Amino acid sequence: MAVYKLFPKQDATLYSLFPQMNTGLDEILDVSNLNIAISSNAQVARYLVQFDQDEINSVFNTYVSNSVWNATFKCFIATAQSINTDYTLKVHAVSGSWGMGTGQYLDQPISTDGCSWYWRTLAGGETWDFSPSSSNVIVDYVSPNEGGGNWYILPSASQTFNYHSDKDLNVNVTNIVNSWNSQSFASSSFINNGFLVKWTDDIEFNPLKGVQPVLQYYSVDTHTIYPPVLEIKWNDFTYVTSSTIPTINTSQLYASIINNDGFFYSQSVQQFRVDCRPQFPPIIFQTASIYTTNYYLPTASFWAIKDLDTNEYVIDFDPVYTKLSADTTSSYFEVYMNGLQPERYYTILLKTTVEGSTLVFDSNYNFKVING
């Protein structure tokens, strides 16, 4: 199974209260609806995130090919306020190009060298399209604050939040990426200009004091390990075994990683192989050691990766996309190191089901990704 992570090439927040302000280098992406004393209208923030289409094409052309796949857009929460009932975020494909700029929120003087609520490029350059000609392209604002981006109505994705829910954005955008993918373009005009994230229409510009949700996410310019991610997963599972290697059939087993060198360059692809054997092998009379016989893990076996410092899953167990494969040598799986933050330590976990028992192995299979 395979998981490949891409990081944004640009992002920015658009604020209706500051229609000329660029925030391309801000560490926060903001999506909000606020009723504030200095304005008679509710003020809205939306944000844009774009991933490089050449990188997306490379993943599909080099690795995914015709495999079953999906794509997930993830943003990680910094702060959340006033999520006191069910609120839904919409994720749309942006219509038209835009420039990130070099501004930050409330720079003095404000920066205007990139996109803003009013401008798609820079102040005095090109505005957002206030009267789109396509019925599938929309602009939505409350006068006099024209702007706020252009986006396609379809395809789209959404995620609903409430008081108790996880506030990370984790939304399936397979339909959008499939339209961007050069192998399946339905229209030459529907090109990758990124995602636009906004509250639903009933929330945006809502004047009620009780409707003021705010979610702030880390941007690509964050100094944390939580930038936005486009995660592409595909099914490359194969299970071609050798008649000379048995499959483990006892829950009292030992499993480890054979070829963990401990350090991997960020552009490398590592095929990890699994050593598996019974903890208590049957007593037999033979000339070779019974502890040298390797076993396959069953087909219901999976891998995951955690950040060693935060103990958070970077790649979680997945019943489809992180299954262990097998060949005539051993069970194995592949990790694409460029999807992991460099200069950090990670640990590998293995999970399998044998004799009705689900076992998880976390035995310090640690490694570090280094720049290079």
Side-chain angles (χ1 to χ4, degrees):
M1 299 297 100
V3 179
Y4 202 104
K5 295 190 177 189
L6 300 174
F7 300 104
K9 74 173 189 178
Q10 61 177 0
D11 58 21
T13 302
L14 314 178
Y15 292 91
S16 65
L17 184 61
F18 306 104
Q20 307 286 329
M21 182 180 68
N22 171 256
T23 61
L25 289 185
D26 203 88
E27 298 177 14
I28 291 295
L29 297 171
D30 198 345
V31 56
S32 60
N33 182 77
L34 294 176
N35 294 286
I36 55 181
I38 63 174
S39 175
S40 58
N41 296 322
Q43 297 299 322
V44 167
R46 304 164 180 160
Y47 68 83
L48 311 172
V49 180
Q50 185 177 15
F51 297 86
D52 192 292
Q53 186 61 43
D54 288 339
E55 291 186 11
I56 295 173
N57 289 343
S58 177
V59 173
F60 279 91
N61 294 335
T62 306
Y63 305 114
V64 179
S65 188
N66 294 319
S67 302
V68 176
W69 63 277
N70 76 15
T72 305
F73 176 41
K74 295 183 176 182
C75 296
F76 301 96
I77 196 68
T79 61
Q81 301 174 27
S82 301
I83 311 297
N84 53 2
T85 185
D86 288 355
Y87 293 112
T88 299
L89 281 183
K90 296 286 291 184
V91 178
H92 293 273
V94 178
S95 172
S97 61
W98 49 280
M100 183 177 77
T102 61
Q104 292 184 306
Y105 183 72
L106 294 185
D107 276 346
Q108 293 297 328
I110 64 170
S111 175
T112 59
D113 66 350
C115 67
S116 63
W117 185 267
Y118 190 80
W119 303 100
R120 73 163 66 240
T121 52
L122 54 93
E126 184 180 357
T127 67
W128 296 103
D129 189 350
F130 303 142
S131 302
S133 58
S134 171
S135 60
N136 193 37
V137 176
I138 194 171
V139 61
D140 187 24
Y141 58 86
V142 170
S143 183
N145 292 333
E146 295 177 312
N150 297 122
W151 60 91
Y152 293 95
I153 301 172
L154 295 173
S156 66
S158 64
Q159 182 175 339
T160 299
F161 301 87
N162 59 43
Y163 181 79
H164 295 287
S165 66
D166 187 345
K167 303 306 187 294
D168 288 343
L169 182 66
N170 187 348
V171 62
N172 189 314
V173 292
T174 303
N175 54 352
I176 298 176
V177 175
N178 189 53
S179 297
W180 289 340
N181 183 359
S182 61
Q183 299 178 9
S184 59
F185 269 178
S187 168
S188 60
S189 64
F190 194 93
I191 62 176
N192 175 9
N193 289 299
F195 300 108
L196 182 144
V197 181
K198 63 184 290 294
W199 291 114
T200 51
D201 293 345
D202 61 315
I203 301 302
E204 287 194 328
F205 301 107
N206 191 315
L208 296 178
K209 296 297 183 183
V211 183
Q212 300 192 77
V214 177
L215 292 178
Q216 294 184 322
Y217 295 100
Y218 293 108
S219 79
V220 69
D221 298 296
T222 179
H223 296 293
T224 72
I225 60 170
Y226 304 110
V229 170
L230 180 62
E231 187 174 86
I232 300 174
K233 300 179 181 179
W234 65 96
N235 187 340
D236 64 352
F237 173 72
T238 60
Y239 202 82
V240 180
T241 59
S242 168
S243 60
T244 62
I245 302 177
T247 299
I248 197 79
N249 58 6
T250 175
S251 59
Q252 295 180 312
L253 63 91
Y254 168 84
S256 66
I257 304 298
I258 299 174
N259 57 335
N260 179 12
D261 294 334
F263 294 89
F264 300 98
Y265 286 110
S266 58
Q267 296 303 313
S268 64
V269 180
Q270 175 65 18
Q271 185 180 87
F272 288 104
R273 291 196 170 272
V274 179
D275 177 31
C276 177
R277 58 177 172 79
Q279 287 184 349
F280 309 103
I283 298 175
I284 58 176
F285 295 96
Q286 62 181 33
T287 57
S289 170
I290 56 178
Y291 292 102
T292 62
T293 301
N294 194 17
Y295 287 71
Y296 292 117
L297 285 171
T299 54
S301 301
F302 314 92
W303 60 274
I305 294 178
K306 279 186 174 182
D307 185 287
L308 200 57
D309 289 330
T310 66
N311 201 37
E312 295 174 314
Y313 281 102
V314 179
I315 300 175
D316 205 347
F317 295 112
D318 190 293
V320 176
Y321 299 108
T322 67
K323 291 183 71 174
L324 266 66
S325 293
D327 58 16
T328 55
T329 301
S330 67
S331 299
Y332 71 91
F333 61 96
E334 293 183 342
V335 176
Y336 297 83
M337 298 297 172
N338 70 317
L340 303 176
Q341 292 283 344
E343 305 304 327
R344 295 192 67 82
Y345 286 92
Y346 301 91
T347 188
I348 299 170
L349 292 83
L350 302 175
K351 181 169 75 171
T352 190
T353 300
V354 185
E355 294 184 322
S357 298
T358 298
L359 311 173
V360 176
F361 299 91
D362 181 9
S363 300
N364 297 320
Y365 314 134
N366 303 335
F367 65 92
K368 182 181 181 180
V369 177
I370 58 178
N371 283 313

